[in-house]
Amino acid sequence: MPSVAAPGRCLAILLALATAVATPAWAQPLRRAAPTRGGAKLVAVPEFAEAGDFYWHDGRRIGLHRSNRELAVGFPADLPQARIETAARALPRVDPRRARRAALTGGKELWVFPLDLGASASELETALAAARGRVEVEYAHPVLYHPETRSRLMLTDDVVVKLKPGRVLSDLASAMRSAGVVERRRIPGTTDEFILRLEQPRSANVLAAAQRLHESGLVVWAQPDFVQPYRRAAVPNDPRFPNQWHL
């Protein structure tokens, strides 16, 4: 007669399976598995650490953690994939086999380039500098994580701002020059929210640009135009869905 698992045991198994599916690998810390004959085995999961990255939203300082294992790299939308793969192979400590397209945003292809497991934080900075030095790269940033929600956030070359009541974008001209950004477009359906773009995206720090705009005192908020992965559950029937820049 076949054995039947107790209801409590079945529930525990189902919960474990659900957790494994619901918690992606990038949201888990790097950890050591049981030692093997050749030494401890490393689980291939990105580390993330405090590196002083933050932005302001509604007067609140939002601190972020930085991945030591991944780069977010932007390319022209019409660049052949073969050239993107060539760029990945040329970067130190990047594992080109795991490079993947993350999004098409702002008219550019955003790719994630994972580093080898043994790469250090300093080696990530070396890979980052090498990426910014390539002619086909539009911008390159470390991947960030929200420490509370564990949301994975990828930077682009855009900053989103909401002006304070009574202000117009021309009032922000001096702060925009200081931050090194120019107007890209107004967000459809609004009169006071704009997407601004870095003038020198390969060398500028988009978080620093957002902070400079915040410090002007002319905006309700200024923050990078983050790209955040999501799982598509349905196709929206809203005809204005393409205008939802935040989705």
Side-chain angles (χ1 to χ4, degrees):
M1 179 176 177
S3 60
V4 179
R9 180 179 175 82
C10 291
L11 178 60
I13 293 172
L14 289 173
L15 287 173
L17 289 172
T19 301
V21 172
T23 307
W26 51 260
Q28 304 170 15
L30 184 72
R31 58 187 184 276
R32 291 187 179 275
T36 62
R37 180 175 297 180
K41 181 181 179 182
L42 288 175
V43 178
V45 179
E47 281 187 328
F48 47 90
E50 170 62 47
D53 298 312
F54 70 94
Y55 68 98
W56 292 91
H57 184 80
D58 284 343
R60 182 187 173 202
R61 186 182 188 275
I62 311 295
L64 300 170
H65 287 172
R66 181 182 298 190
S67 169
N68 291 328
R69 303 294 183 193
E70 295 177 304
L71 301 178
V73 185
F75 296 93
D78 58 354
L79 189 71
Q81 184 169 329
R83 289 194 60 188
I84 295 176
E85 293 170 350
T86 297
R89 289 192 294 270
L91 298 181
R93 301 309 300 263
V94 166
D95 183 353
R97 298 167 300 175
R98 296 190 292 131
R100 60 196 181 279
R101 180 181 182 274
L104 176 64
T105 177
K108 299 175 184 180
E109 290 269 3
L110 177 61
W111 281 65
V112 173
F113 285 178
L115 273 64
D116 297 330
L117 263 182
S120 65
S122 63
E123 287 173 318
L124 179 136
E125 292 298 326
T126 299
L128 191 60
R132 289 171 173 166
R134 295 193 62 87
V135 295
E136 65 270 65
V137 169
E138 296 278 350
Y139 56 81
H141 306 286
V143 173
L144 302 174
Y145 294 87
H146 193 290
E148 297 175 6
T149 65
R150 294 288 180 91
S151 299
R152 188 189 202 201
L153 304 171
M154 288 172 282
L155 297 166
T156 65
D157 55 351
D158 289 339
V159 178
V160 186
V161 299
K162 179 180 177 65
L163 301 175
K164 285 188 174 179
R167 293 292 184 177
V168 294
L169 190 62
S170 59
D171 295 337
L172 203 58
S174 177
M176 289 171 60
R177 284 193 298 271
S178 177
V181 297
V182 295
E183 180 184 359
R184 183 179 159 218
R185 66 183 175 91
R186 180 175 54 80
I187 295 176
T190 73
T191 59
D192 56 0
E193 296 180 16
F194 296 84
I195 299 178
L196 311 178
R197 176 155 288 177
L198 293 174
E199 292 185 284
Q200 303 292 333
R202 282 197 285 175
S203 58
N205 183 324
V206 68
L207 284 169
Q211 290 159 23
R212 283 182 179 270
L213 294 167
H214 165 79
E215 291 165 359
S216 72
L218 302 173
V219 299
V220 177
W221 44 257
Q223 64 186 57
D225 190 10
F226 294 111
V227 173
Q228 186 172 344
Y230 65 95
R231 182 177 298 172
R232 179 178 293 176
V235 178
N237 60 4
D238 182 355
R240 295 186 178 180
F241 180 71
N243 292 333
Q244 306 300 312
W245 65 270
H246 55 290
L247 299 180

